[in-house]
Amino acid sequence: MNNPISHVLQQLHDAVNRGDQDALAQCYASDAKVIATPMHSSTQDQVTKDHASQRDCVNALLKFQKKFMPDHFVTTGDERVIQAGDVALVVAKLYLVPKATPNALPCEGKRAVYVMQRGATGEWRCVIDNFFGTDLLDFA
């Protein structure tokens, strides 16, 4: 995990697992978007795009964690980082591991898609977080 982009992704998942809002916010750009539910109409989606904030992203992720994985940790498996200048596409396998047995083998994996952007200070931040990955197309 020498790649700074992979490091941000690990920080993001660690923050979700701890429920640490401040650490999670540091992983996102101020204008970041999180795909928190695949069931948006185009009108609702536009409202979300126009008014979403970094804090909205954090809240969406924590609500998702609380509702769908309260007894699990998220962990990252294989990932691929494709970088072009100050933008990077990350495709990663995500796994859920039961909190009661953290050394157990992970449950079924999902493929998540992230877009990272390097800011003026050189720090990478997530600008698009789609943990539904290509499964999002199943809801279109």
Side-chain angles (χ1 to χ4, degrees), residues 109-124:
K110 292 286 187 184
R111 288 187 172 100
V113 177
Y114 304 89
V115 177
M116 303 288 197
Q117 187 173 37
R118 183 172 33 211
T121 60
E123 290 183 350
W124 287 93

Side-chain angles (χ1 to χ4, degrees), residues 38-46:
M39 306 301 285
H40 273 118
S41 72
S42 58
T43 305
Q44 288 172 320
D45 197 32
Q46 188 60 45

Side-chain angles (χ1 to χ4, degrees), residues 119-134:
T121 60
E123 290 183 350
W124 287 93
R125 305 246 191 235
C126 185
V127 291
I128 299 175
D129 182 341
N130 172 17
F131 47 83
F132 290 101
T134 57

Side-chain angles (χ1 to χ4, degrees), residues 88-106:
L89 173 68
V90 181
V91 179
K93 288 182 184 174
L94 299 183
Y95 298 97
L96 296 180
V97 178
K99 288 180 180 177
T101 54
N103 295 324
L105 292 175

